[in-house]
């Protein structure tokens, strides 16, 4: 009995210790968040306001600038992206919108486990439906018509740079509310032949205008592929290798993507792929881009880069899609751009 009692005491002490450590971690994170949410001198002008997703001429994004509206969905005039920003009451880790439909991925820290969810939004940013997420938010997209939404989460590890990670990519029909929990249930054709493997992962969906075709990254056997998929047939087919986080141009002819430039490193450069010829064009941005780019129009792509001097923050940059020109700062302290 003495041995059993001693073991129970050790177990209780260990549980209390872990709970104390977890609480301390959460309190430390909350303290850091509180400091980051205080008004900052020299930061961008941000005021509270409303956003309607059907309003044209606005560029929506997640406000990453330190201050009271940090992580809020905000917007600026498309013609003046560096101007004063209007912040809503909606907070997201990832955001995207098209045709009056929005998707917001949220994450809340907890003592033992964080809580993650996807919010399907109407044009007034009101929540239509909430879906629990199996992991940390990574990517989000809405089809040009607003009919479909997709999101990718990390279900283990923290990022693509982790030694062991797995992703889960879901697709939602916003009309019927039918959810495909994982693209891994789709049939895969690789190099013209049916392909089956236990290590198949998908991420970074981008939709075509026909409400059936989509593109995504497939990872298997240590390689990444650009795949073209069909929602109605529930199939994907590989097109070419070394393509991650694809983004389809508004005219449907090109894919912006990040390409791993050195084997076994986490360095990516941004390229544009012509879907007819599969010819790649390197863009003028030479920094490593770990983001799913967004097309502002048929000539320009935008993407996030880490902000100098601000931990966990990012800036939005843009660059011509034909490989010419030079990168320019689009919005300081921002991520997840969505042209409305």
């Amino acid at each position: 009995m003495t041995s059993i009692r001693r073991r129970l005491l050790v177990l209780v002490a260990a549980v209390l210790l872990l709970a104390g450590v977890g609480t301390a971690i959460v309190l430390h994170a909350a303290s850091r968040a509180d400091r980051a949410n205080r008004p900052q001198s020299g930061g961008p002008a941000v005021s509270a306001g409303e956003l309607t997703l059907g309003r044209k001429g606005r560029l929506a994004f997640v406000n990453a600038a330190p201050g009271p509206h940090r992580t809020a969905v905000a917007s600026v005039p498309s013609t003046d992206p560096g101007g004063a920003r209007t912040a809503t009451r909606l907070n997201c880790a990832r955001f995207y919108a098209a045709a009056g439909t929005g998707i917001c991925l949220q994450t809340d820290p907890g003592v033992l486990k964080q809580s993650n969810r996807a919010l399907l939004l109407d044009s007034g940013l009101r929540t239509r439906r909430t879906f629990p997420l199996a992991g940390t938010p990574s990517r989000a997209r809405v089809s040009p018509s607003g009919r479909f939404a997709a999101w990718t989460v990390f279900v283990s590890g923290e990022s693509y740079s982790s030694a062991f990670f797995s992703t889960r990519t879901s697709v939602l029909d916003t009309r019927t509310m039918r959810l495909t929990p994982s693209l891994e249930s789709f049939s895969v054709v690789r190099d013209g032949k049916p392909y089956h493997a236990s290590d198949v992962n998908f991420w970074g969906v981008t939709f075509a205008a026909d409400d059936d075709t989509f593109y995504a990254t497939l990872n298997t056997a240590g390689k990444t592929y650009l795949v073209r998929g069909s929602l109605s047939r529930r199939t994907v087919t590989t097109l070419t290798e070394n393509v991650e986080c694809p983004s389809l141009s508004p005219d449907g002819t090109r894919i912006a993507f990040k390409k791993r430039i050195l084997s076994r490193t986490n360095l990516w450069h941004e390229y544009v792929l012509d879907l007819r010829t599969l010819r790649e064009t390197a863009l003028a941005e030479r920094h490593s881009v770990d983001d799913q780019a967004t097309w502002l129009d048929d000539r320009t792509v935008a993407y996030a880069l880490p902000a100098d001097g601000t931990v966990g923050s990012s800036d939005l940059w843009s660059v011509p899609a034909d490989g010419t020109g030079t990168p320019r700062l689009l919005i300081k302290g921002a991520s997840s751009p969505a042209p409305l």
Side-chain angles (χ1 to χ4, degrees), residues 26 91 93 105-117 135 137:
V26 171
N91 295 89
L105 306 187
Q106 296 181 329
T107 182
D108 293 323
V111 173
L112 298 178
K113 185 178 181 180
Q114 69 180 20
S115 172
N116 306 291
R117 56 190 169 270

Side-chain angles (χ1 to χ4, degrees), residues 40-59:
Q40 305 287 315
S41 62
V46 188
S47 60
E50 302 297 327
L51 172 64
T52 301
L53 297 181
R55 183 180 177 184
K56 296 183 179 180
R58 302 290 293 184
L59 178 59

Side-chain angles (χ1 to χ4, degrees), residues 230-259:
S230 168
L231 294 172
S232 61
R233 294 191 297 272
R234 297 177 64 83
T235 60
V236 298
T237 302
T238 60
L239 298 179
T240 187
E241 290 187 25
N242 199 6
V243 172
E244 298 185 50
C245 297
S247 181
L248 185 63
S249 61
D251 63 12
T253 64
R254 291 156 294 158
I255 291 281
F257 68 99
K258 65 177 193 178
K259 178 177 182 177

Side-chain angles (χ1 to χ4, degrees), residues 143-220:
S143 66
S145 70
R147 168 75 184 273
F148 291 96
W151 55 81
T152 299
V153 301
F154 291 111
V155 293
S156 62
E158 296 181 350
S159 70
Y160 302 103
S161 62
S162 177
F164 301 98
F165 76 88
S166 178
T167 59
R168 185 170 302 169
T169 296
S170 306
V171 178
L172 172 70
D173 185 330
T174 67
R175 185 182 302 171
T176 65
M177 294 299 166
R178 180 188 178 189
L179 177 68
T180 299
S182 175
L183 284 182
E184 293 170 27
S185 63
F186 280 33
S187 299
V188 178
V189 176
R190 188 181 75 164
D191 300 330
K193 299 178 182 178
Y195 179 79
H196 304 278
S198 60
D199 67 344
V200 165
N201 268 259
F202 293 94
W203 62 79
V205 166
T206 183
F207 294 98
D210 62 3
D211 278 343
D212 183 60
T213 305
F214 68 91
Y215 298 86
T217 295
L218 162 67
N219 179 65
T220 184

